[in-house]
Amino acid sequence: MLDHGALDHTNSDSTQALRHRMRHSAAHVMADAVLRLFPEAKMGIGPPTQDGFYYDFDVSRPFTPEDLESIEALMRETIAAQQTFKREEISRNDAQSMFSDQPYKLEIIEDLPDETTLSIYRHGEFIDLCQGPHVDGTADIQAVKLLNIAGAYWRGDEKRPMLQRIYGTAWESQEALDDYLHRLEEAERRDHRTLGRQLGLFSIHEEIGPGLIVWHPKGGIVRSLVEDYWREIHFRHDYNIVYSPHIGRAQLWQTSGHLSHYRESMYAPLEVDEQEYFLKPMNCPFHIMVYRSSLRSYRELPLRIAELGTVYRYERSGVLHGLMRVRGFTQDDAHIFCLPEQVEGEVGGVLDLTFELLDAFGFAEFSISLSTRPESYAGELDMWEHATESLRRALEERHLTYDIDEGGGAFYGPKIDIKIEDALGREWQCTTVQFDFNLPERFDLNFMDADGGRSRPYMVHRAILGSLERFLGVLIEHYAGAFPLWLAPTQAMVIPIADRHQEYADSVKEQLESEGYRVEVDGRSERMNLKIRNAQLQKIPYMLVVGDREQEDGAVAVRTREGGNLGAISVRELLERLAGELT
């Protein structure tokens, strides 16, 4: 068993806390600069983020790139002036008077509970409503850069005013800032939306609707390969693969609790035979119906039910983002119904399956958290303790390093979350193993126990890849579109040098296809170097050039997408090379 420990980040908690304060302070310095250049500006909010900060403004005209340069220049002046950040607590009346010309600040003040202690932060002549924390002074902001401008609805509500958001970043040194800017450039180069267009993988159309993905033939190949491997490995781990409808009657979602607790993320009902039906936001109730379709015996458990089920959830238009945040997606979903004494083994089996599956896609670095019982919870305390300890033991038996998220579990059960790290060191939430003590009660699930009585099964929700759309987006960016050979939509491009080599090129294609490889021939009347360049831009692993000599020798001249020239080899040698790369 591989020891998939938590990632050993170079940044300590203290460094992260310092960056948080520094970026929060940089947001204030930026707002100060904006008000000096645009005295009529109305301020929204300006929090720090994981890698930087932003501030929202309501101004009379759109910001320009030249404005960003001017704002950044003023920020540098303020930083050089070494102004001190000072915190003061004020009354609600004083706050309302102080920000009488700032309507968004007044709204924040009005919405705060009466018992809230209000505070402001000053540096120089600038004042902002803020709880902090901040660095001691502007001199502590070592390296700063404004990045871009975007629109943002006030408080994320599309019915509220559209503000202009300025994004920036701040670091403890110029070297750290330069490294971050380099990573930003690399992330832009790997952007799955751009690569999706360039490689012909997928598209999104206003005529169809935002957040709804259309997979093109090449993207369809990649997705099919991912799904086929998913099915193969699940069959091997004794899962039962099922299919369920895209809609269900309102009564189903009422029983499951979705209409009570998840309604804002569900679409408007459809009327069928004068009854309400809803597009499914989750697959759980359908899998429960499979379980309930017959009286279950303890001998039948564990019962593992899995599905690549497409679900539909309402997401605000402002948060939609390529494949990463969509409105219709296919969930890598499974539910395990088991006896209490089987829980630990089942959780361990999910972890083993997780690492086997993720390793196959090239992800080897993980961080893991165990979320425990919140203050408000469903189910019995002893069930929570048993489930939590089962999760803990399954992790520790596999020598897995994990963090504890005290009280971070859902109200219906504890869980394990696993994040994967991509080639740029970014973390993505991927796998979740979640107990559910709520749905078995709601649907009155039971099984016939060894004594002939009725007992309640344990139910475990489990997703490994999560949303297939999101996972494929991560996969595209992880590989920068240059998929490993087994996932590449086209594995080899045969390039005839002249028209007289076309027939031989076709025969090479047939030989490779007979062995199961995905091959194309570029028979266009273009220069060979242009054909090679086009194949490289399409990130095809191998280019097989054929001319008079190759045709005479039954060979191919092999080039790689990285620019390597492997020279001429026989087709048999090529097949051996490809087979070795796939093992």
Side-chain angles (χ1 to χ4, degrees):
M1 169 62 61
L2 294 174
D3 187 359
H4 297 284
L7 302 174
D8 183 18
H9 294 293
T10 57
N11 301 322
S12 66
D13 290 343
S14 60
T15 300
Q16 287 297 88
L18 172 61
R19 288 175 174 172
H20 182 88
R21 296 196 307 273
M22 178 174 57
R23 290 163 181 162
H24 196 174
S25 302
H28 278 221
V29 173
M30 180 176 71
D32 178 20
V34 169
L35 286 183
R36 288 158 66 188
L37 290 170
F38 301 86
E40 81 288 355
K42 307 305 178 187
M43 298 187 295
I45 58 172
T49 63
Q50 181 177 352
D51 289 320
F53 59 89
Y54 68 81
Y55 215 114
D56 294 338
F57 302 96
D58 192 344
V59 288
S60 58
R61 65 167 177 81
F63 290 124
T64 66
E66 292 73 24
D67 291 331
L68 289 194
E69 293 179 5
S70 300
I71 294 167
E72 189 174 308
L74 283 180
M75 291 177 67
R76 296 187 189 283
E77 290 181 11
T78 300
I79 291 169
Q82 300 187 17
Q83 297 176 357
T84 301
F85 287 101
K86 297 178 181 178
R87 182 177 187 271
E88 299 176 24
E89 293 185 2
I90 60 174
S91 69
R92 185 175 296 264
N93 287 339
D94 287 344
Q96 290 171 331
S97 175
M98 188 175 292
F99 296 100
S100 60
D101 61 343
Q102 292 289 337
Y104 300 108
K105 296 296 182 183
L106 290 176
E107 182 178 327
I108 292 173
I109 294 168
E110 291 168 3
D111 289 346
L112 290 173
D114 292 340
E115 64 273 14
T116 301
T117 299
L118 300 184
S119 61
I120 58 169
Y121 270 85
R122 300 176 183 266
H123 72 270
E125 297 182 3
F126 178 78
I127 303 172
D128 201 356
L129 181 73
C130 183
Q131 292 293 322
H134 288 275
V135 291
D136 293 336
T138 61
D140 293 323
I141 305 171
Q142 296 296 312
V144 66
K145 177 69 177 175
L146 299 188
L147 301 172
N148 60 282
I149 309 158
Y153 290 109
W154 172 236
R155 293 191 159 179
D157 186 346
E158 60 263 36
K159 297 178 182 178
R160 305 297 301 277
M162 171 70 79
L163 307 183
Q164 292 192 69
R165 176 171 293 177
I166 300 178
Y167 285 98
T169 189
W171 295 82
E172 64 276 8
S173 68
Q174 187 63 43
E175 181 182 5
L177 173 60
D178 291 343
D179 179 65
Y180 174 70
L181 294 177
H182 173 72
R183 285 186 282 121
L184 274 187
E185 291 177 3
E186 182 64 17
E188 184 175 356
R189 185 180 74 85
R190 292 169 178 261
D191 190 315
H192 73 281
R193 296 166 298 177
T194 302
L195 290 171
R197 289 190 300 272
Q198 292 176 354
L199 304 179
L201 301 176
F202 69 92
S203 58
I204 302 171
H205 304 269
E206 283 299 319
E207 296 89 338
I208 295 172
L212 301 173
I213 308 300
V214 176
W215 291 95
H216 293 206
K218 289 185 177 180
I221 290 174
V222 179
R223 176 166 172 157
S224 294
L225 291 167
V226 171
E227 291 182 354
D228 289 347
Y229 182 68
W230 183 92
R231 292 186 185 92
E232 184 272 324
I233 197 172
H234 277 76
F235 280 132
R236 188 150 37 88
H237 283 257
D238 295 325
Y239 279 80
N240 300 278
I241 293 181
V242 302
Y243 297 86
S244 61
H246 289 238
I247 63 174
R249 289 174 57 184
Q251 180 182 342
L252 179 72
W253 307 110
Q254 191 67 56
T255 302
S256 68
H258 287 92
L259 286 182
S260 301
H261 303 290
Y262 205 73
R263 182 67 183 86
E264 69 280 0
S265 295
M266 297 172 68
Y267 287 98
L270 311 169
E271 186 173 306
V272 181
D273 296 333
E274 299 182 351
Q275 295 196 31
E276 285 189 340
Y277 283 71
F278 286 86
L279 285 168
K280 65 175 177 179
M282 297 182 185
N283 300 300
C284 326
F286 297 97
H287 294 185
I288 287 173
M289 292 298 106
V290 173
Y291 180 90
R292 284 183 52 182
S293 63
S294 65
L295 178 60
R296 302 291 177 179
S297 163
Y298 73 96
R299 298 181 185 275
E300 297 178 67
L301 304 183
L303 178 63
R304 308 181 189 103
I305 298 174
E307 179 181 11
L308 291 174
T310 300
V311 298
Y312 304 88
R313 300 178 187 175
Y314 173 69
E315 298 281 2
R316 294 179 183 274
S317 59
V319 302
L320 297 175
H321 181 76
L323 297 174
M324 304 303 195
R325 197 77 176 263
V326 294
R327 288 174 171 169
F329 59 92
T330 300
Q331 187 80 19
D332 150 34
D333 219 351
H335 296 87
I336 301 172
F337 303 89
C338 61
L339 308 176
E341 58 268 28
Q342 295 171 332
V343 165
E344 186 176 335
E346 289 304 301
V347 172
V350 171
L351 293 175
D352 294 340
L353 173 57
T354 294
F355 294 124
E356 183 179 356
L357 189 57
L358 294 178
D359 283 348
F361 292 107
F363 296 104
E365 300 293 338
F366 309 91
S367 63
I368 306 172
S369 64
L370 170 60
S371 299
T372 61
R373 175 172 52 85
E375 291 186 12
S376 176
Y377 60 92
E380 301 298 326
L381 182 59
D382 60 341
M383 296 174 70
W384 273 85
E385 292 176 349
H386 179 216
T388 304
E389 283 307 306
S390 296
L391 293 173
R392 190 191 309 273
R393 285 195 298 269
L395 291 169
E396 293 178 351
E397 285 178 4
R398 286 156 180 79
H399 309 291
L400 296 168
T401 304
Y402 60 93
D403 296 322
I404 296 290
D405 181 8
E406 292 289 354
F411 79 92
Y412 47 83
K415 64 174 179 172
I416 291 173
D417 286 317
I418 300 177
K419 295 179 179 178
I420 56 176
E421 184 181 272
D422 70 9
L424 293 183
R426 299 172 300 183
E427 286 191 334
W428 302 91
Q429 174 60 48
C430 196
T431 301
T432 296
V433 186
Q434 172 78 65
F435 276 89
D436 192 331
F437 302 129
N438 182 48
L439 287 182
E441 290 288 335
R442 282 181 167 272
F443 284 94
D444 191 26
L445 300 187
N446 56 65
F447 63 90
M448 190 74 72
D449 59 32
D451 298 324
R454 300 289 181 91
S455 296
R456 188 83 71 207
Y458 274 48
M459 179 179 174
V460 180
H461 299 263
R462 183 244 68 177
I464 296 178
L465 305 182
S467 155
L468 274 193
E469 282 73 9
R470 185 168 180 266
F471 181 75
L472 285 163
V474 172
L475 205 63
I476 292 168
E477 296 195 359
H478 180 62
Y479 287 113
F483 296 109
L485 184 64
W486 77 279
L487 276 175
T490 302
Q491 295 169 311
M493 177 70 77
V494 187
I495 301 174
I497 294 176
D499 290 345
R500 65 180 180 274
H501 307 124
Q502 181 71 41
E503 185 176 346
Y504 178 63
D506 290 337
S507 72
V508 170
K509 176 178 183 287
E510 290 174 4
Q511 290 179 70
L512 295 179
E513 286 183 334
S514 69
E515 297 293 329
Y517 294 100
R518 299 179 291 279
V519 185
E520 296 180 26
V521 174
D522 188 345
R524 296 175 302 156
S525 298
E526 299 284 357
R527 292 181 298 106
M528 180 189 71
N529 287 340
L530 178 62
K531 294 180 181 181
I532 291 172
R533 178 58 177 160
N534 287 340
Q536 288 175 326
L537 290 174
Q538 286 298 302
K539 304 188 184 290
I540 296 172
Y542 289 98
M543 285 127 273
L544 313 176
V545 180
V546 295
D548 291 336
R549 181 177 299 176
E550 290 77 21
Q551 182 170 311
E552 182 178 340
D553 296 340
V556 291
V558 182
R559 296 171 180 260
T560 67
R561 62 186 165 200
E562 293 82 15
N565 187 345
L566 305 183
I569 60 176
S570 70
V571 175
R572 179 50 51 192
E573 288 176 293
L574 173 65
L575 287 169
E576 290 174 357
R577 178 186 178 89
L578 296 178
E581 192 169 333
L582 291 176
T583 56

